[in-house]
Amino acid sequence: MTSPAISPAYPPTYVFKDKKIDRNKFDQLFRENDSLVIANGATSEKNTLRIYLKEEDMVADLKGTPNGEAISKVREDVRKFLMDQAKTPEKELVARRQIEDERATKAYLELSKKTGLTHDSLELLQKAIDAKIINSAILFDGYNYTGAWKLVGKGNLSWIGFNDRTSSFKMVFSVGFLAQHNDFKGRRYWTWGTHFFAPDLRTASFDNMASSVWL
């Protein structure tokens, strides 16, 4: 099956150390740095991915800005989350997450049926967040919000059978990231905004790569 073409709005502009780089340079940086950070929405620049060799570089770059403060808070929340997680057997964590996934999915589909809104619509996503059915985001295993999907918040995607599958996603009013490995390790794709859309993660080399999320 042929993959859908990348949206005409893509490829984005890649910026590394305040200089534009081409896709080949980005791919090289991605291959050579297993702690690479890709920031989408860090500044007012549209359709721009800022690239950092490590997260501390991004924190320093955005220091003193609202986004910088939001990032620092998320990083501290992640640290506390992992400390608490370490106190609970993984088997229990997985069972708990699967129960929550089933509950949220059932409620989401019921809301979809009640409102007549499709599962991939921004309006339904917002209503589900307002109703506290989900936290902030929906992942898809196809480009342009197609294919199988999962409602997500925080944790390992392997616990709900969705690791290494995300190709696009939608998010509402949140700050967070996709991470390459379990427990938020490896390369990260950071994003934030009131309404955020990532129709094709191939543009960031993050297609079928996320194994944990904080959204």
Side-chain angles (χ1 to χ4, degrees):
M1 181 177 178
T2 304
S3 298
I6 293 177
S7 165
Y10 285 75
T13 298
Y14 302 96
V15 175
F16 177 61
K17 294 184 177 180
D18 288 325
K19 294 182 179 180
K20 293 182 180 179
I21 59 174
D22 62 20
R23 179 61 191 250
N24 290 333
K25 178 61 176 177
F26 166 69
D27 288 340
Q28 179 186 353
L29 290 170
F30 194 97
R31 289 193 305 269
E32 295 177 353
N33 297 276
D34 57 11
S35 295
L36 195 78
V37 171
I38 302 160
N40 193 335
T43 65
S44 59
E45 303 161 317
K46 293 184 178 180
N47 200 29
T48 297
L49 298 180
R50 285 192 164 263
I51 316 303
Y52 301 93
L53 298 185
K54 56 184 184 296
E55 208 157 79
E56 288 74 13
D57 294 340
M58 179 177 69
V59 172
D61 189 34
L62 298 176
K63 185 176 181 179
T65 69
N67 283 336
E69 293 173 4
I71 290 169
S72 295
K73 183 180 185 307
V74 168
R75 281 162 55 89
E76 177 61 17
D77 288 345
V78 169
R79 186 188 68 81
K80 293 178 180 177
F81 180 91
L82 289 173
M83 287 180 62
D84 290 340
Q85 179 177 287
K87 301 173 184 177
T88 306
E90 185 174 10
K91 186 176 181 179
E92 182 179 334
L93 291 169
V94 173
R96 188 187 306 167
R97 184 64 184 87
Q98 290 176 347
I99 291 172
E100 174 58 21
D101 177 55
E102 291 174 4
R103 181 206 65 78
T105 301
K106 180 180 179 181
Y108 191 74
L109 291 173
E110 288 176 349
L111 184 62
S112 174
K113 184 177 181 179
K114 179 181 179 181
T115 60
L117 299 169
T118 59
H119 73 274
D120 59 340
S121 72
L122 177 62
E123 189 177 353
L124 181 65
L125 189 63
Q126 183 65 67
K127 286 181 178 296
I129 292 169
D130 292 342
K132 300 187 184 304
I133 292 173
I134 63 173
N135 184 43
S136 67
I138 181 170
L139 309 182
F140 301 86
D141 71 357
Y143 308 112
N144 300 316
Y145 324 116
T146 59
W149 53 273
K150 283 290 182 182
L151 306 169
V152 297
K154 301 171 177 62
N156 295 332
L157 294 175
S158 59
W159 296 351
I160 53 174
F162 216 74
N163 56 305
D164 300 332
R165 291 180 60 181
T166 303
S167 294
S168 59
F169 72 98
K170 292 183 177 182
M171 180 185 78
V172 176
F173 198 68
S174 186
V175 177
F177 57 84
L178 310 178
Q180 180 183 7
H181 302 308
N182 280 353
D183 299 332
F184 318 117
K185 297 176 182 178
R187 299 174 180 87
R188 288 183 177 183
Y189 177 98
W190 272 85
T191 182
W192 45 100
T194 303
H195 299 125
F196 182 85
F197 308 90
D200 194 333
L201 285 172
R202 288 176 295 183
T203 61
S205 291
F206 234 83
D207 181 33
N208 296 325
M209 179 169 284
S211 292
S212 57
V213 297
W214 186 283
L215 294 172

